[in-house]
Amino acid sequence: MKTLEIYDPAMCCSTGVCGVEVDPVLVAFNADLQWLAGQGVQVSRHNLSQEPQAFAANPAVLKELEAGMERLPLTLVDGRVVGTGVYLSRAQLAQKLGLAPVAAPVAPGSFPVQVGSGCCTPDSGCC
Amino acid sequence: MAISVADTRHLFFTGKGGVGKTSLSCATGLALADAGRRVLIVSTDPASNLDEVLGVALGQTPTAIPGASGLFALNIDPEAAAHDYRERMVAPYRGILPAAAIASMEEQFSGACTVEIAAFDEFSKLLGEPAATAQFDHVIFDTAPTGHTLRLLTLPSAWSEFIDSATGGASCLGPLAGLEKQKALYAATVARLADPSETTVVLVSRPDVSALREAERTREELAALGVSNLQLALNGVLAVASTDDAIAAAMMARGADALAGMPVGLAGLPVSSTPLLALGTVGLHALRLMANPERAGSRVETVEVDTALPARLSRLVDALAQAGRGVILTMGKGGVGKTTVAAAIAVALARRGHAVQLSTTDPAAHVAEAIGASVPGLHVGRIDPAAEVAAYQAEVLAKAAPNLDANGLAMLEEDLRSPCTEEIAVFRAFARAVDAGQEGFVVLDTAPTGHTILLLDAAEAYHREVSRTQGEMPEAVRQLLPRLRDPALTRVLIVTLAEATPVHEAERLQADLGRAGIAPFAWVINQSLLASGTRHPLLRERGAAEVPFIRRVADQLSPRCALVPWLPEAPVGVAGLAQLTQ
């Protein structure tokens, strides 16, 4: 079974609903991960502020972190880094995972993200 | 009986700011200790004055109170607790993760919510772990003001429901995720709160309509959480045989009316009543008198006061009217009358021919009620959290639904039920209200301090966020912080009472605003007995006790200051409100 690992920047939650404006990228990405899990991919997701041990335990991830925080989010397929600094679209994820091409990608394309943006910023008081 | 009598191990005192929670919890604790029990008093209020009341410097471990055998007290400082929590989460990764990663983790744990959760964590340790307080017969919590208390109390059940029902896994647990392993402790804490053989919750109120209404709200919310062992403590009841003093007579009549019209839910509770005392409530002697008022006797000294009083509120309205437009925010702790002051200013401005929008974000406010009949040019609106949340959820779902499959939509709906959503929705409504200040006057009575600061903190974070990402931010939100900081547009009025705790809290509020780069325009001292013209000896003595606080506000704390007398007519309706600005 293929594994997909996502290493998110430090944020309050990874679903994108708790900013001043819902982040459509995070909402769509979250739905994409659900879809992939339904396709039999083993999906795991780690947030730097909640699971730093996952980052510390993975040498490939540590190496990227040392290169700079803008490398987050990281996308790893079977332990290999296949994406840095962006949330890949459903079509891109499917392609990296060697799944059948997605007919009509429901998600918007890939977007660059800022570290700490998207979800709750630290002082936003929302959570 | 003067103070509540409870045999449970845990006692909680809750109520609006300034109703006397700290005094009553200390008087109760002292009475129990004097009866031979071992008692621990705990404060979780960030603006705690427990040290002042007990006359001892307190820390985060129990300190014996000199002069009261068996009485101990401690202060939970939420900010220190948050710092410790942050360290626990981050420290193991120093030297393992790069410095930039550590810094971004630290930043994530600097929010208001971490402070709240860390304080609750400390509180859970005392309540959920019997061993922590085994050497005490009673543990008394002088809890923080109502909104804060309720958040503390409702948080665990909100979260445990959330944890139980979250299906998606990666849901918005926020900083609480690191505490999920403490679920058992939180569950024990909630169970103890709801167990009538273990816990008594004392709702503290003054004999006035708004404080009683607030107590009823708390009672309802606690009942919904399964907390049923409740008592009502009426503090500051004026009871004199007869009087020819108009102020004393009005105060007694208003108190009697308020009690006669007490909400049914409260009327069914066991009630204790503490008289209005000439003496303050600082120090063990005063606390013992509070529990045994008959020992105070009837000796009241005649006091003459010679001090220059600050200007009346009408002068402040003149200054505000000059700009012809702008945002006027009244701020202060619950119970100081910021809704009344906001409504009075709005009515006065409208009567001078200005277009005025009066909005409230205070969940306990009844502005529309306070206005009664309509005034030309004045519009009254309410920021209703429930309505704002519903509108926000609908807007988000409408926007996101086209891009989501059924599963994704279900997850989004679940996430929109998280406690964050209300903060965001209310914040957006606040930004919209401030936006209207470009045209005419907007008068806002904001919610209690913690919430207010949360909003301003949020404004700051959003501001930084916006200047970086320029996303789909509504223009009103983008402009909010610069507008709040612009002295030509926004005028912050700090409302307080001429008493120790309210002035102390207002001072903290001013410091908090300063950190956000906002300087108040003026202070308003409300409900002054000194300015009321009373001749009643007890009330005159209390009026004289206001002098050092009035001087401190007028001479040291405020750029300009207005003094509003205690009014014999309740400040309700247009005529009642007009008394404030005459």
Side-chain angles (χ1 to χ4, degrees):
Chain A
M1 184 169 38
K2 290 272 182 190
T3 66
L4 173 67
E5 295 165 80
I6 307 298
Y7 290 84
D8 287 302
M11 52 192 189
C12 151
C13 59
S14 47
T15 51
V17 298
C18 49
V20 65
E21 190 69 48
V22 167
D23 188 332
V25 176
L26 284 168
V27 171
F29 188 69
N30 207 29
D32 291 344
L33 293 186
Q34 290 289 303
W35 177 79
L36 288 169
Q39 305 293 305
V41 177
Q42 194 185 331
V43 179
S44 62
R45 192 166 183 187
H46 312 285
N47 176 342
L48 178 59
S49 66
Q50 290 166 12
E51 293 177 74
Q53 70 279 9
F55 290 69
N58 188 326
V61 172
L62 267 182
K63 192 161 157 261
E64 293 293 340
L65 273 189
E66 271 151 21
M69 296 303 289
E70 67 282 359
R71 308 290 281 178
L72 298 179
L74 294 170
T75 309
L76 278 71
V77 170
D78 293 336
R80 203 166 45 83
V81 178
V82 299
T84 62
V86 292
Y87 287 110
L88 300 177
S89 69
R90 184 178 291 200
Q92 288 168 321
L93 288 168
Q95 187 249 320
K96 303 265 184 208
L97 286 157
L99 297 176
V102 182
V106 290
S110 63
F111 292 78
V113 294
Q114 301 267 345
V115 171
S117 76
C119 176
C120 283
T121 49
D123 298 326
S124 68
C126 81
C127 47
Chain B
M1 108 193 114
I3 56 170
S4 52
V5 178
D7 284 334
T8 54
R9 190 166 145 66
H10 303 112
L11 279 100
F12 285 81
F13 287 80
T14 180
K16 284 172 85 155
V19 294
K21 294 184 292 292
T22 304
S23 316
L24 276 178
S25 52
C26 288
T28 306
L30 183 57
L32 286 166
D34 285 348
R37 310 283 183 89
R38 288 177 66 81
V39 181
L40 176 65
I41 301 175
V42 180
S43 176
T44 55
D45 188 341
S48 168
N49 66 339
L50 197 59
D51 303 45
E52 208 179 323
V53 172
L54 292 172
V56 187
L58 300 171
Q60 288 180 278
T61 54
T63 299
I65 308 302
S69 170
L71 186 63
F72 294 77
L74 68 83
N75 256 333
I76 293 175
D77 175 351
E79 275 152 33
H83 180 264
D84 292 349
Y85 173 63
R86 186 159 60 236
E87 267 312 291
R88 261 200 327 276
M89 299 300 291
V90 175
Y93 299 99
R94 291 218 168 86
I96 296 172
L97 295 176
I102 295 292
S104 80
M105 285 172 70
E106 280 176 337
E107 202 179 295
Q108 193 62 40
F109 287 113
S110 305
C113 191
T114 306
V115 174
E116 190 98 13
I117 288 163
F120 183 77
D121 199 34
E122 294 295 314
F123 165 95
S124 284
K125 278 183 208 152
L126 290 170
L127 197 64
E129 283 174 9
T133 55
Q135 74 267 38
F136 298 103
D137 299 315
H138 298 279
V139 184
I140 298 179
F141 292 87
D142 138 34
T143 45
T146 315
H148 188 70
T149 306
L150 290 177
R151 276 207 299 282
L152 284 179
L153 297 181
T154 55
L155 208 55
S157 77
W159 285 122
S160 23
E161 267 169 41
F162 199 71
I163 292 167
D164 290 345
S165 65
T167 46
S171 263
C172 182
L173 276 173
L176 199 65
L179 293 172
E180 203 183 344
K181 51 185 173 294
Q182 314 239 44
K183 242 178 95 175
L185 178 60
Y186 291 166
T189 304
V190 179
R192 296 211 143 192
L193 274 173
D195 181 348
S197 70
E198 291 218 47
T199 300
T200 307
V201 178
V202 181
L203 307 172
V204 184
S205 178
R206 299 267 175 188
D208 78 53
V209 174
S210 74
L212 287 167
R213 190 149 45 190
E214 185 70 22
E216 171 61 9
R217 259 171 48 88
T218 308
R219 188 199 63 77
E220 282 174 355
E221 288 181 282
L222 289 173
L225 287 165
V227 180
S228 58
N229 187 5
L230 302 172
Q231 297 191 4
L232 177 64
L234 294 169
N235 189 26
V237 178
L238 178 63
V240 289
S242 71
T243 179
D244 54 3
D245 181 70
I247 300 292
M251 191 180 279
M252 281 210 293
R254 212 189 290 174
D257 283 353
L259 294 182
M262 192 192 297
V264 183
L266 288 181
L269 300 178
V271 181
S272 62
S273 176
T274 311
L276 187 71
L277 298 171
L279 214 60
T281 52
V282 169
L284 298 184
H285 176 63
L287 292 173
R288 286 194 173 105
L289 284 185
M290 212 174 167
N292 305 282
E294 68 285 354
R295 287 189 208 157
S298 55
R299 184 194 57 85
V300 177
E301 284 170 31
T302 310
V303 282
E304 290 305 326
V305 172
D306 181 23
T307 191
L309 295 182
R312 302 291 285 265
L313 192 60
S314 54
R315 295 277 295 279
L316 186 57
V317 175
D318 292 340
L320 293 168
Q322 271 174 12
R325 60 159 197 150
V327 180
I328 297 163
L329 302 170
T330 61
M331 293 190 172
K333 273 289 179 87
V336 297
K338 57 188 182 301
T339 303
T340 303
V341 170
I345 290 172
V347 167
L349 287 171
R351 285 189 156 181
R352 290 171 197 215
H354 296 285
V356 182
Q357 169 74 39
L358 172 64
S359 303
T360 171
T361 54
D362 185 344
H366 300 267
V367 169
E369 213 170 296
I371 296 293
S374 63
V375 178
L378 175 65
H379 293 275
V380 182
R382 169 153 190 253
I383 297 177
D384 173 3
E388 295 300 337
V389 167
Y392 179 64
Q393 285 173 338
E395 183 193 321
V396 169
L397 286 172
K399 206 179 285 177
N403 293 326
L404 292 177
D405 55 25
N407 199 10
L409 199 61
M411 273 179 68
L412 180 59
E413 281 173 348
E414 181 58 46
D415 280 322
L416 284 171
R417 281 182 214 121
S418 90
C420 308
T421 308
E422 179 173 323
E423 296 290 344
I424 298 160
V426 171
F427 174 80
R428 288 162 57 105
F430 178 80
R432 278 201 309 275
V434 168
D435 194 34
Q438 301 295 311
E439 304 300 326
F441 281 106
V442 172
V443 186
L444 280 151
D445 73 328
T446 51
T449 315
H451 192 67
T452 305
I453 293 310
L454 222 59
L455 285 176
L456 292 170
D457 250 7
E460 170 70 294
Y462 292 145
H463 180 60
R464 275 189 273 115
E465 177 91 355
V466 174
S467 39
R468 194 169 52 206
T469 60
Q470 300 289 333
E472 271 188 79
M473 198 69 51
E475 185 61 17
V477 173
R478 198 195 308 280
Q479 292 295 333
L480 183 66
L481 197 67
R483 281 174 180 165
L484 291 182
R485 281 182 177 154
D486 177 1
L489 180 69
T490 300
R491 300 203 170 89
V492 172
L493 309 179
I494 292 189
V495 184
T496 189
L497 305 177
E499 290 172 26
T501 304
V503 169
H504 179 68
E505 289 172 346
E507 219 176 319
R508 284 176 54 102
L509 174 58
Q510 176 154 276
D512 278 336
L513 290 169
R515 278 203 295 278
I518 297 168
F521 180 75
W523 284 46
V524 177
I525 304 172
N526 198 16
Q527 298 169 13
S528 166
L529 280 171
L530 183 62
S532 72
T534 181
R535 304 300 303 166
H536 189 275
L538 172 65
L539 298 186
R540 273 169 61 97
E541 189 163 349
R542 288 191 66 97
E546 292 175 358
V547 172
F549 302 107
I550 292 174
R551 291 267 60 86
R552 179 157 171 70
V553 171
D555 303 340
Q556 292 169 41
L557 296 173
S558 63
R560 55 173 75 68
C561 176
L563 186 68
V564 178
W566 196 94
L567 298 165
E569 289 289 314
V572 175
V574 172
L577 288 169
Q579 296 176 97
L580 271 78
T581 52
Q582 266 157 16

